[in-house]
Amino acid sequence: MIREETVLARSFTLPPTLDALRNYVDGQFVETERQFDNISPIDGRLLGKVHEADAALVDRAVRAARRALEEGPWGRSTVEERAAALHRVADVIERRFEEFLAAEVADTGRPVEQARKLDVYRGIANFRTFADLGKHAHGEFFETHLPDGTQLINYTKRKPLGVIVSISPWNLPILSLTWKAAPALICGNAIICKPSEETPSSAVLIAEAFHEAGVPPGVFNVVHGFGPGSAGEALTTHPGVDAVTFTGESRTGAAIMKAVADGVKEVSFELGGKNAAIIFADCDFEATVNGLARALFTNTGQVCLCPERVFVERPIYERFLAAIKARAESMRIGWPDEPGVDMGSLISREHRDKVLSYFKLAVEEGATVLTGGGVPQFGDARDQGAFVQPTIWTGLPDSARCVREEVFGPVCHIAPFDSEDEAVRRANDSDYGLAATVWTTNLSRAHRVAPRLHVGITWVNTWFSRDLRTPFGGTRLSGMGREGGRWSLDFYSETTNICIKV
Ligand code: NAD
């Protein structure tokens, strides 16, 4: 067990068992010859080594998953048995909460208190919610009378899709992996999860939870590695895989779509965003400043749902700029365990280079940098980490690259608008369509504007509040399909119609 000081220690050392992160295949923790480094984004230290899965190990995982469905007890299990298994997994995570927390914080650099409230808790909630939803899933029934007097009854039956591959990003590792694994498993599938190469630790702990919970071998597998030429490509091109559920960049989604095309596999894609926030002059000013600051800077702006395009109605534009600038400048950036810390590091130096390239580009495109635009200096080990300042730009046209391309950092562009129609038109002027927020106290306006936005989810006077029973997904470059609640159960099931002549 991890000691309390592991969470609180400045070194953010991983628990000893995570120093060399292994794959989990067919109920066994597997080492490989090839390894890669797991680097701390907080201070650039080596956290440990990760055993990279090659095509042969991926093949072993796919075969084990198929065997678990065709020969093992999982393939014959009832939904009640599967729900009990998922609740047991959630129990283990709950019991080992501090270990999961330490792993997530070490890999991501996020403030401990944010990870405590969001990440580990959501992992547990995903298993419990889908275990319970699965038990209430049902089919449909139709009575049919043909003109010649024939009577038929039709009913639908959900069956598992088979072997599922889940490929997840680094920004919310526990949340993203369990969001896919829980519904896939309650529907009776077997799954192979590939966490991001940047955040491999919590996936190993989840594998340990499955092992401890006594879930049969081959049902839940974890393989580590990268995309092209590594585990990611081996998974998406493997002929034994029935469906791929992917969360990550839109470009990667396109590459995966091409990879699965020959096998005509089912896909579900949750991709990037360039989300709009529309702030009307009739908003609750203080609540909106607080709400927008949370939406911009949570997880150092590395949430696919963070707004990077903010439109503020002209009568409050200048006042709003002053208020949000003050909020950004009061953000405390630092160690994950520092009391009152608001923002941690970005995920890596490589990602910081990308964010900094947009900071430079914004200036070249003619932006006014209202605040930020640089790297904080600490004078200690954090200078080897991946920190950036919260950054706000104004003055760019809607056509600027910095207003159109996803940056994925603590940054936004703010522009004024003069009418409701103009705000809706400009918010919709994007290649993406994941999420939007609308800030107003006018109820009619909220109901008028929200459905006009071409996105998968619109929040009014809030952000990132989720009910796991509701649909989630994006339009345009932001994704394909919906997951959440019964939409997840639909994706992870093959629906068969059975027609009986009476
Ligand atoms: P990424 O696309 O670079 O990587 C995601 C995963 O795909 C990683 O596990 C990576 O190893 C793997 N991968 C990369 N290339 C691959 C290939 N050719 N074949 C198979 N696998 C491959 O994304 P990222 O940088 O890890 O995450 C950030 C992105 O994720 C942002 O664009 C963000 O908006 C998006 N995101 C979307 C949602 C959503 O729900 N829509 C949620 C979280 C993150």
Side-chain angles (χ1 to χ4, degrees), residues 165-172 175-176 179-180 194-199 223-237 244 246-257 259 269-275 301-306 308 347 351 354 406-408 432 434 472-474 477-479:
V165 159
S166 158
I167 298 181
S168 39
W170 44 256
N171 65 325
L172 296 164
L175 186 157
S176 305
W179 168 245
K180 308 297 186 151
K194 194 197 85 58
S196 168
E197 56 275 26
E198 303 282 3
T199 51
V223 293
H224 295 293
F226 303 81
S230 182
E233 185 180 334
L235 284 166
T236 53
T237 52
V244 176
F246 169 73
T247 309
E249 276 195 26
S250 304
R251 259 195 323 257
T252 314
I256 291 177
M257 201 155 183
F269 285 159
E270 294 178 0
L271 308 176
K274 187 76 181 176
N275 309 301
Q302 301 165 117
V303 181
C304 53
L305 306 161
C306 290
E308 291 191 6
I347 193 63
H351 185 55
K354 176 188 159 188
E406 183 186 46
V407 181
F408 218 52
Y432 293 94
L434 189 56
F472 181 82
L477 283 185
S478 293

